[in-house]
Each structure stands twice: as C-alpha cells, then as structure tokens.
Amino acid sequence: MELSKRVQSVKPSATLSINARAKELKASGVEIINFGVGEPDFPTPHHIKEAAIKAINDNFTRYTPVGGIAELKDAIIRQFESDYGVSYEPGEILVSCGGKHCIYNLAQALLDDDDEVIIPAPYWVSYPDIIRLAGGRSVIVHTKEEDGFKLRPEKLEEAITPRTKLLILNSPSNPTGSVYTRGELEPLVEIIVKHRIYVLTDDIYNKIIFDDADWVSILHVNPDVKEYALILNGVSKTYSMTGWRIGYMAGPGPIISACTKIQSQSTSNPNSIAQMAAVAALNGPQDDVERMVSAFAKRRQYFVERLEQVKFVTFYPPQGAFYIFPNFSAYYGKKYNGQIIANSLDLTSYLMEEARIALVPGSAFGDDRYLRFSFATSMTIIEKGMDKLEAALNRLL
Ligand code: GLU
C-alpha cells in the first residue's frame, strides 16, 4: 500500500513523540525526568472542572454551533477587548479543538499550492508541517541568539515575495521564551501593512510573562493591522487545560467563516463540555493563573542560575512561556562509548538513554545547535534533572 505523498511529506510532532516515549519508559518502571513536553503540571482549577461536571449533568452533550457556542465567543471577545483593546464580532471568532487546530484550519482556508508562509526560526515544531499539509511552502528566516531570537525587519523585507501570504509570529516564543517589545514590533507591523500580507500571532503563552517583561501585541502597535491579523490563543497553557482541547482565533470575518467551513467538514464543533469549561476559565477568578505563573517564574530563575554553571553552554534568558533553549553545540563532536555525538538528536538520545532525561532536539525547531527544556514540571524534578544533566555532560569526552 502506498500512502499519500502528502502524509509522507510530514513528520509526526516531535514534542508529542518525545512525550509519548517518556511516558512509555515511565510506565515500564524507568524513572524519567521529563523536560520534553510543554504541558503545565498543575491540575485544571477546581471551578473549571465543576463547570464541566455541571455541563454533563445539564446534558450539555450535543452538537453545538461548529465555530463555538455564543457564551464562549462572548467570553473570548471580552478577553480580547481587555488584552488587545480591540473589539471583535462573534462572526470574527472561531473556537477549535486546540490552538493547533485553529492554525490547521487557517492553513487549509488560506493557502494554495506553493503559497509562501514566512516563519522565523527557531519555530514551534508544528508550523512547517501544518503549512506543508495545506500545500503551502514555509520560508524559514533564521534569527540570532544575540537578537533574542527575534525577527529583524530587514530579514522580513528580504523574505517577502509575490507569493507571500502569511507571516507567523509567536511571542512569548516556543521554544525560546523570547518576547517582542513594542519597538521591535513597530517596523514589522509597518512592513506587514505595506505589503498587505496576513499575520498569525500565536499568543498562546501571553499570560506567562516573567519579571518586568511587557507583553505587547501587534494590535497595540497599530490597530490598523487588524484587517491582516489572525490572533490565536486558547485555554491550554494559561489554565492548565491541555487535554480539554480548546483554542480560539480572531480575525477578518471571511477568513474565519472559511476556517469554520473547513472545521464543519472535519471535527464539527469542539467538545461541548470543554467549551463550557473554557467559559468558566475565561469568566471566572484568575488567581490560579497568578499562582501558576509565579511557580513558573521561580523555576525559570532556578534554570537560569543552573545553566549559567554548565560549561560551554550559552542561552538567552526566557521572558515568557515555560521553555529555555540553550546552545549545546560545544558538545557536538564529543564521544561516549566510542560513539560520536554529532547533533542535537544524538545529544538528546544520549541524555534519554544514559541520564533518563527527556528533551526535545533543536533540529525539530529549526536550529540544530540547541536543545529545548520545558520547565512545566516540579522544582524537585528540575533540581534532580539538572544534577543528572551536568553529570552526564561531564561523562562526554
Ligand atoms: N505545544 C507544546 C509543546 O511544544 C505541546 C505539544 C505540542 O502540541 O507541540 O511541547
């Protein structure tokens, strides 16, 4: 049997595969430090779970409108008004089965064969494959650690061609944790408006911000960019609701209704119970969010201090999200048991097999010099993991 060229052209999600492997090892009794997946380790807040239980007991268990229930769209509109200072209509909002699904719908609705999508690297693993599945072409623009991994305006200008349809920005970034400032966004927004290209801002981590970093949206910089902007968010990371699969996107009405049409021919509505839970998340008390963010901030600080002690490693201190992306390339070329560690995949395999630490290789994010650590795990595990990491690195010759 020959599978389609389309499916043969993509890889499975590296983050999810590594998580599956870590869970498999754990289930077989192996103690694993999981710095792999980006999934908050906190339980979903109690009042959100209660709302879901109530939805079940109220028999809110049937099809809903494809693009989401009115109550959830209203909650999203209020949230976007307060976060972005911009108002949207219900017809400009799509609720999907997670943020990834919104991006998938968007790619399917927007891209024709060989349409180009500009993606700054390092990028989240799934963007290029979602683009490829829609027939589009990713144009990867590399950024530098010394620029905080942020896209420079001249690089964006250079990458634009008559086929450019979309730019993807992600701040705070997965995998680097970098956050764009207003000054950095201003020239990018100017270019977007000048060339009339669409821009997807993946803001899924915008509530997880550290120290005095200020999260700024392209809509704050220039509200006129709204006609080109697709704004993505969801409840997974902010409310520790990864498994519930609720993401949402705001944007121009015709694009949102095209995405809704695609969704009507694939999943139909997102889970009705999870939608009710998301209403409670957005409308309810936000103190659990503050508690989780302050825990992430402590872990981030600890990681930064420990990594400063690791020989030959450089990194950009994250200002948001729960990832850190250090450069380990000084270890490439070293040997263990006669085997050469040649790249990020070899180093993560070595650390998985020899130190039982799960990490995601930088190659999955478009830069092989780096490894991604997720600190969405407890302080005890982080301390233990960093001890093991240092010991394992010292064993390399
Ligand atoms: N976004 C998270 C990560 O990067 C969850 C897994 C995924 O969908 O990639 O680890």
Side-chain angles (χ1 to χ4, degrees), residues 6 14 41 188 229 254:
R6 191 173 53 253
D41 53 321
L188 299 179

Side-chain angles (χ1 to χ4, degrees), residues 48-61:
I48 300 177
K49 293 193 281 197
E50 285 297 321
I53 292 164
K54 178 167 185 320
I56 296 174
N57 288 333
D58 289 350
N59 296 313
F60 193 73
T61 52

Side-chain angles (χ1 to χ4, degrees), residues 13 15-16 37-38 100 124-125 174 205 237 323 372:
S13 159
T15 45
L16 297 184
V37 77
K100 190 184 277 179
W124 176 49
V125 291
N174 174 3
Y205 299 99
K237 313 293 180 175
Y323 307 107
R372 190 191 77 172

Side-chain angles (χ1 to χ4, degrees), residues 175-186:
T176 67
S178 60
V179 174
Y180 280 84
T181 64
R182 180 181 282 269
E184 288 159 347
L185 286 177
E186 271 163 0

Side-chain angles (χ1 to χ4, degrees), residues 14-327:
T15 45
L16 297 184
S17 314
I18 284 158
N19 194 39
R21 172 82 182 125
K23 283 192 169 154
E24 217 175 74
L25 284 168
K26 197 170 169 203
S28 70
V30 176
E31 197 196 330
I32 275 280
I33 305 281
N34 194 351
F35 291 151
V37 77
E39 171 168 53
D41 53 321
F42 304 101
T44 300
H46 183 73
H47 68 280
I48 300 177
K49 293 193 281 197
E50 285 297 321
I53 292 164
K54 178 167 185 320
I56 296 174
N57 288 333
D58 289 350
N59 296 313
F60 193 73
T61 52
R62 300 187 181 276
Y63 293 134
T64 76
V66 170
I69 54 174
E71 221 174 326
L72 179 53
K73 286 192 175 190
D74 287 346
I76 294 165
I77 288 168
R78 272 196 301 277
Q79 171 91 58
F80 278 14
E81 236 154 34
S82 100
D83 282 0
Y84 300 93
V86 160
S87 35
Y88 283 101
E89 299 293 321
E92 296 173 312
I93 304 287
L94 166 74
V95 183
S96 298
C97 310
K100 190 184 277 179
H101 187 211
C102 288
I103 308 173
Y104 188 89
N105 286 326
L106 176 67
Q108 295 291 330
L110 202 61
L111 302 176
D112 276 320
D113 281 353
D114 295 326
D115 277 348
E116 292 175 0
V117 179
I118 299 176
I119 306 179
Y123 48 73
W124 176 49
V125 291
S126 291
Y127 298 143
D129 287 310
I130 291 175
I131 302 306
R132 199 168 296 130
L133 283 171
R137 199 134 52 82
S138 298
V139 175
I140 306 297
V141 180
H142 290 275
T143 63
K144 293 188 180 146
E145 187 178 321
E146 57 268 32
D147 292 335
F149 297 109
K150 287 176 252 189
L151 177 63
R152 296 184 64 91
E154 63 278 11
K155 291 280 185 191
L156 172 59
E157 193 81 69
E158 265 167 46
I160 294 176
T161 74
R163 294 231 64 137
T164 307
K165 204 112 185 231
L166 180 70
L167 160 71
I168 302 183
L169 290 177
N170 173 216
S171 171
S173 151
N174 174 3
T176 67
S178 60
V179 174
Y180 280 84
T181 64
R182 180 181 282 269
E184 288 159 347
L185 286 177
E186 271 163 0
L188 299 179
V189 168
E190 227 172 85
I191 296 169
I192 292 161
V193 174
K194 182 172 96 187
H195 290 275
R196 306 168 70 83
I197 56 173
Y198 289 107
V199 54
L200 168 72
T201 68
D202 180 347
D203 298 343
I204 195 87
Y205 299 99
N206 74 335
K207 301 287 180 194
I208 306 171
I209 298 285
F210 308 127
D211 299 341
D212 47 6
D214 231 354
W215 176 76
V216 181
S217 153
I218 54 167
L219 292 172
H220 297 132
V221 169
N222 178 0
D224 291 347
V225 78
K226 188 178 173 219
E227 63 176 299
Y228 306 105
L230 286 306
I231 307 288
L232 179 77
N233 216 313
V235 292
S236 295
K237 313 293 180 175
T238 309
Y239 301 99
S240 203
M241 291 177 70
T242 46
W244 300 74
R245 308 313 301 137
I246 295 290
Y248 35 85
M249 185 168 70
I255 299 184
I256 293 297
S257 59
C259 292
T260 311
K261 179 162 77 176
I262 301 276
Q263 186 159 297
S264 79
Q265 295 292 14
S266 50
T267 58
S268 310
N269 61 273
N271 178 291
S272 60
I273 300 148
Q275 288 190 69
M276 276 309 203
V279 171
L282 293 176
N283 291 348
Q286 302 294 307
D287 30 334
D288 287 304
V289 179
E290 275 171 41
R291 215 171 26 78
M292 293 191 263
V293 173
S294 84
F296 289 137
K298 285 197 191 97
R299 298 167 185 184
R300 175 247 187 215
Q301 192 50 33
Y302 180 79
F303 246 113
V304 165
E305 283 163 18
R306 286 297 300 261
L307 279 168
E308 277 167 352
Q309 309 303 317
V310 179
K311 277 182 283 184
F312 315 127
V313 163
T314 64
F315 64 95
Y316 175 80
Q319 297 163 298
F322 32 66
Y323 307 107
I324 192 158
F325 199 56
N327 183 330

